[in-house]
Amino acid sequence: MEITYLQNYLELEKLRQKDNNTSIKLTVEGDPAQIKIPPMLFTPFVENAFKHGINKIIDNACININIKINENEIFFSVENSKPEFVQNEISSKTQGEIGLANVKKEIRDIICR
């Protein structure tokens, strides 16, 4: 379910970014049906890749998302291009880091179950 959500989200972003020669790739290895993935677990990372990378680059940006599923493990990575310098960028500490806090809470809830 979570991977389907990511696929749909990325398709929407591809439509938004179509005029910018943007490369958006999702690679999934393994069987997503063999493991339960909490809803919205990956979303903050993917959204940040767009917010802090692709959306600040005019042309030839890229995002690569890799998910590898083993018996009871998930390996997840997001890579994005970013501008060399963004003028007047506010540090993430002043922006609140809400997405990261939500992911940490979700992981704590899973471990404590």
Side-chain angles (χ1 to χ4, degrees), residues 1-13:
M1 196 75 157
E2 177 69 1
I3 292 175
T4 301
Y5 173 82
L6 279 181
Q7 291 168 332
N8 292 335
Y9 180 86
L10 294 175
E11 288 303 315
L12 286 172
E13 284 293 341

Side-chain angles (χ1 to χ4, degrees), residues 35-52:
I35 194 163
K36 290 184 180 180
I37 303 171
M40 308 298 282
L41 183 65
F42 302 140
T43 305
F45 300 104
V46 175
E47 287 176 344
N48 280 344
F50 283 96
K51 180 179 177 183
H52 299 292

Side-chain angles (χ1 to χ4, degrees), residues 91-106:
S91 78
S92 64
K93 294 192 185 297
T94 61
Q95 292 180 348
E97 300 179 354
I98 294 169
L100 186 55
N102 288 340
V103 169
K104 287 178 182 178
K105 180 187 178 308
E106 183 67 34

Side-chain angles (χ1 to χ4, degrees), residues 1-107:
M1 196 75 157
E2 177 69 1
I3 292 175
T4 301
Y5 173 82
L6 279 181
Q7 291 168 332
N8 292 335
Y9 180 86
L10 294 175
E11 288 303 315
L12 286 172
E13 284 293 341
K14 286 177 185 178
L15 290 173
R16 286 184 59 231
Q17 303 291 336
K18 71 178 179 179
D19 296 333
N20 297 340
N21 296 322
T22 301
S23 171
I24 302 171
K25 295 180 184 174
L26 170 65
T27 303
V28 179
E29 293 180 39
D31 181 11
Q34 77 182 32
I35 194 163
K36 290 184 180 180
I37 303 171
M40 308 298 282
L41 183 65
F42 302 140
T43 305
F45 300 104
V46 175
E47 287 176 344
N48 280 344
F50 283 96
K51 180 179 177 183
H52 299 292
I54 277 188
N55 288 340
K56 294 183 179 185
I57 296 175
I58 304 295
D59 238 356
N60 298 318
C62 69
I63 287 186
N64 295 316
I65 302 167
N66 296 296
I67 300 173
K68 185 176 180 181
I69 301 168
N70 291 330
E71 291 177 25
N72 60 353
E73 295 179 314
I74 301 170
F75 298 93
F76 173 75
S77 69
V78 179
E79 298 173 336
N80 64 287
S81 53
K82 65 177 190 172
E84 287 185 33
F85 176 74
V86 178
Q87 192 170 7
N88 298 325
E89 177 127 5
I90 300 171
S91 78
S92 64
K93 294 192 185 297
T94 61
Q95 292 180 348
E97 300 179 354
I98 294 169
L100 186 55
N102 288 340
V103 169
K104 287 178 182 178
K105 180 187 178 308
E106 183 67 34
I107 291 172

